[in-house]
Amino acid sequence: MNETTKLEFSEKYSADHAKYYFDKHENEFWRRLSNWRDHKVCAKALKIAGNPKSILDMPCGTGRFWDLLTEDSERTLWACDNSQDMIDAGLKFRPPEIAKRFQTFQGSAFELPVEDNLVENIFCIRLFHHIGESEDRLKILSEMARVSSDTVILSLWVDGNFKSWKRARSESKRKRKGYQNRFVIPRKVIEQEFEQAGFSIEARLDFAKHFALWRTYVLKKRA
Ligand SMILES: C[S@@+](CC[C@H](N)C(=O)[O-])C[C@H]1O[C@@H](n2cnc3c(N)ncnc32)[C@H](O)[C@@H]1O
């Protein structure tokens, strides 16, 4: 049997961590600012993706983008996460009129328990900076190419900015290399992987050009 890949970082999203994750984005000043900017970038990405009529938010976490995704009242919405506790926190703490728009299910990005072409778009925010191995990223991308009929919106950490330079410098100074659960992926590498998985790049949207690590890509499935 083909065992689903399991990553160490995936195990930390317990009920307590879910509440912490929900609170930090809602309450801390800098997080709220970055959440606001993330929403702006994602709104632009959705527009470039052609305002998809059906979306799978994966991983949905605690539903940080559910307000944005429900702005289109005609849209069909799904939400999935590896952690049922994260989904439950979203369903519990988001406004009920927003949460009830989503059909939710627990599942791994490596093997989504849904049919081919379920949705027009997969909305994948803040997962890929946790995926250090190319082989794993390619597996997830190929699963996305199966489940999305048209586009993918995906954010990750890339090189070529001040923060990645600073991070590389402090990592090279560190003597002992411990467990790492967040990775900067060279732009050249990830863009080659998108290509390999059958996607073309429609847009590259930076959180703060030349400064921040976060970049959001809008990908389109090649015919
Ligand atoms: C940093 S959170 C991002 C959540 C949300 N997209 C956001 O931006 O707020 C990462 C999420 O990935 C989920 N996750 C971890 N491993 C996963 C996997 N293999 N498949 C699907 N989701 C996974 C975690 O449970 C967690 O909710």
Side-chain angles (χ1 to χ4, degrees):
M1 203 181 78
N2 191 6
E3 274 251 314
T4 302
T5 310
K6 290 197 171 68
L7 302 174
E8 195 175 338
F9 95 93
S10 303
E11 303 306 312
K12 74 173 180 183
Y13 296 94
S14 61
D16 286 346
H17 189 84
K19 181 70 173 77
Y20 161 77
Y21 190 86
F22 177 89
D23 286 339
K24 86 173 175 184
H25 286 288
E26 297 298 313
N27 299 330
E28 292 170 19
F29 175 76
W30 288 112
R31 297 276 181 185
R32 281 178 56 170
L33 191 66
S34 109
N35 195 27
W36 173 84
R37 175 67 186 147
D38 274 351
H39 273 67
K40 288 272 172 214
V41 170
C42 287
K44 192 166 177 190
L46 285 167
K47 212 170 165 188
I48 294 168
N51 290 319
K53 282 291 169 214
S54 57
I55 296 181
L56 168 62
D57 180 14
M58 190 292 301
C60 64
T62 63
R64 193 157 66 92
F65 293 95
W66 288 359
D67 52 350
L68 174 68
L69 299 177
T70 52
E71 275 177 8
D72 182 339
S73 60
E74 310 263 287
R75 194 173 268 154
T76 304
L77 291 159
W78 301 79
C80 159
D81 199 282
N82 190 56
S83 156
Q84 186 63 47
D85 286 324
M86 291 292 271
I87 301 172
D88 289 345
L91 295 173
K92 186 170 170 189
F93 299 122
R94 300 289 162 197
E97 65 279 13
I98 285 183
K100 76 174 184 216
R101 291 273 311 275
F102 289 82
Q103 302 178 59
T104 64
F105 61 92
Q106 188 273 331
S108 167
F110 289 98
E111 202 173 351
L112 294 166
V114 292
E115 70 210 50
D116 296 359
N117 299 321
L118 173 79
V119 282
E120 271 177 45
N121 171 272
I122 293 183
F123 186 79
C124 180
I125 305 300
R126 298 198 177 193
L127 175 65
F128 266 47
H129 68 308
H130 288 302
I131 318 286
E133 298 294 327
S134 173
E135 189 191 342
D136 292 336
R137 293 194 295 273
L138 283 167
K139 270 193 214 161
I140 297 177
L141 286 168
S142 99
E143 188 60 349
M144 287 177 169
R146 182 184 73 78
V147 172
S148 164
S149 65
D150 190 29
T151 56
V152 168
I153 292 170
L154 185 154
S155 77
L156 79 165
W157 282 0
V158 293
D159 68 346
N161 50 65
F162 173 71
K163 288 281 195 176
S164 65
W165 169 79
K166 225 177 131 197
R167 202 176 161 84
R169 206 175 64 146
S170 60
E171 268 169 19
S172 68
K173 279 188 192 155
R174 213 182 306 144
K175 289 205 179 73
R176 282 185 48 207
K177 307 229 181 289
Y179 163 68
Q180 199 187 341
N181 78 345
R182 294 186 300 175
F183 307 87
V184 176
I185 321 284
R187 290 171 297 179
K188 246 186 160 171
V189 171
I190 192 69
E191 294 191 5
Q192 160 61 32
E193 289 169 0
F194 292 152
E195 172 75 21
Q196 206 175 321
F199 292 104
S200 60
I201 298 169
E202 293 288 290
R204 301 167 175 87
L205 306 172
D206 289 316
F207 182 94
K209 211 174 169 68
H210 305 308
F211 179 77
L213 290 162
W214 286 112
R215 169 174 280 188
T216 300
Y217 283 93
V218 182
L219 308 175
K220 193 164 174 70
K221 230 169 106 169
R222 281 199 307 270

